[in-house]
Each structure stands twice: as C-alpha cells, then as structure tokens.
Amino acid sequence: MPSQAEVQRQIDALPKKYIFWTRKEIKTLPDILDKEEKIVGLTSGLMDNATWLAVCTNRRVLFINSGMIFGLRQVQIPLDRVQSIDSDYTIFFGSIRVWDGASYFTIRMVLKDSIAPFVKATQEAMHAWKRQSMQPAAAPSPSPAPAADVATQLAKLAELKEKGHLTEDEFQAQKRKLLG
C-alpha cells in the first residue's frame, strides 16, 4: 500500500488532472491501491448526483466516492475487463464512459481539458496490460532423461550390435554418450 505522500507525488506528476471536490477520495487512495499500482490518469466529475474521482492505474480503472452519508463507494474495473472507453464534450465539460462488457460506467461534468488525457492514459494502460499478458511464459527447461530411458536405449544399442548393425567401437561410443 503506497503512502499518502507517494500517491500525491504520482498525482502531481500527471500532466492533466481535474480533482474538483475530491480531497476525501484522494485521501482514501493509499488504502485502495496496491503497492505495485501506479496512477496513470485521474479526473473527477459527477455520477449518481455525487462527485466521483476517476482513477486509472496500471491495473484497473476506479471510480471512487467518499460521501458524508453513504461512506466509501467504489467501482473497480480490471483493465482486462475494460472493453472500451469513450468520451464526448461540449465547450467546457464532457463525459467519459467505460464499458466492461456488461454495463457502462459514465462520469459526467468532467472538465474538457482532462478528458482526452484520461482516455489516452486508460487506453495505453489497457494495451500495456494486454501486451504483458500475451507474453509467452518461460519455456520449462528440459528434464534429464530418466534412468529407465537410458537402460532402454542401451538395450536397443546392444540389440543393434548383436544383429551386426553396429561395430564394437560404434557401440562403445554410443554407450559413452548415453552414460555421459
């Protein structure tokens, strides 16, 4: 779990963010984020007639509301479940929609200048997650041949020698290879 100072450093490093009325939500981030999670996008807006913080990390998209009456409410969508993210805007404000394959999560009244950076950061995080999950796992190292295999191969070599297909020298050379 990152510290509040680390969360604030990550937020300060973002090029565009809109964090209007989300101080309580930002204070909850250290309890919500994993230690390896990094914030890549952040904005705020209205959802369900309340102010919500939208956070994109290198693992998931979060919508967080820390209301006075209802306590903490959050929606978490792992990046591998995000099917699409799109947006629209007018002169000053717009909205962001995240589709997880079953339902839309829409945050409205998002400052126009923070929409494109959040959408782009989310798309890049989705692509990075997919590339990471598509990398092949390391191939297992071949295990040494079991002793039974060596014995079977020696028996076959002896049979080939008896039938005259191998000379004594060839048999001995192959035997040394098998026995190491």
Side-chain angles (χ1 to χ4, degrees):
M1 169 166 34
S3 67
Q4 187 68 48
E6 174 58 29
V7 166
Q8 194 60 51
R9 275 192 296 276
Q10 290 181 35
I11 292 171
D12 291 343
L14 296 173
K16 294 275 186 176
K17 56 201 164 277
Y18 178 57
I19 52 175
F20 184 73
W21 282 99
T22 55
R23 188 176 337 160
K24 289 186 295 182
E25 287 78 6
I26 290 172
K27 285 184 179 182
T28 64
L29 281 174
D31 298 326
I32 296 171
L33 299 177
D34 293 333
K35 190 171 191 163
E36 298 83 25
E37 250 180 316
K38 302 293 180 222
I39 299 170
V40 296
L42 186 104
T43 192
S44 65
L46 295 178
M47 189 164 59
D48 301 330
N49 297 320
T51 303
W52 287 69
L53 180 68
V55 181
C56 179
T57 73
N58 57 331
R59 291 187 181 172
R60 56 190 169 163
V61 176
L62 299 160
F63 295 101
I64 305 165
N65 173 262
S66 184
M68 291 179 166
I69 299 171
F70 296 110
L72 181 66
R73 294 186 295 170
Q74 63 181 340
V75 175
Q76 302 181 42
I77 309 168
L79 288 175
D80 61 342
R81 280 194 35 220
V82 175
Q83 300 294 311
S84 69
I85 180 168
D86 46 48
S87 62
D88 59 55
Y89 56 86
T90 57
I91 297 173
F92 298 110
F93 296 98
S95 62
I96 298 171
R97 283 177 306 284
V98 179
W99 171 248
D100 73 350
S103 52
Y104 278 106
F105 298 93
T106 304
I107 187 166
R108 302 182 195 299
M109 293 300 294
V110 178
L111 187 66
K112 176 183 171 184
D113 291 343
S114 72
I115 293 173
F118 184 84
V119 170
K120 183 179 179 186
T122 304
Q123 290 170 335
E124 289 172 354
M126 288 167 49
H127 293 306
W129 184 264
K130 287 178 185 171
R131 278 193 307 272
Q132 176 186 353
S133 65
M134 291 176 65
Q135 288 181 355
S141 59
S143 58
D149 265 357
V150 174
T152 304
Q153 291 177 347
L154 281 173
K156 287 180 183 179
L157 284 174
E159 185 181 329
L160 289 171
K161 180 184 157 212
E162 286 177 21
K163 291 182 178 179
H165 296 293
L166 289 176
T167 65
E168 180 64 31
D169 291 338
E170 292 171 329
F171 172 75
Q172 292 300 327
Q174 292 299 322
K175 182 178 164 185
R176 279 191 297 276
K177 279 186 188 178
L178 285 173
L179 296 175

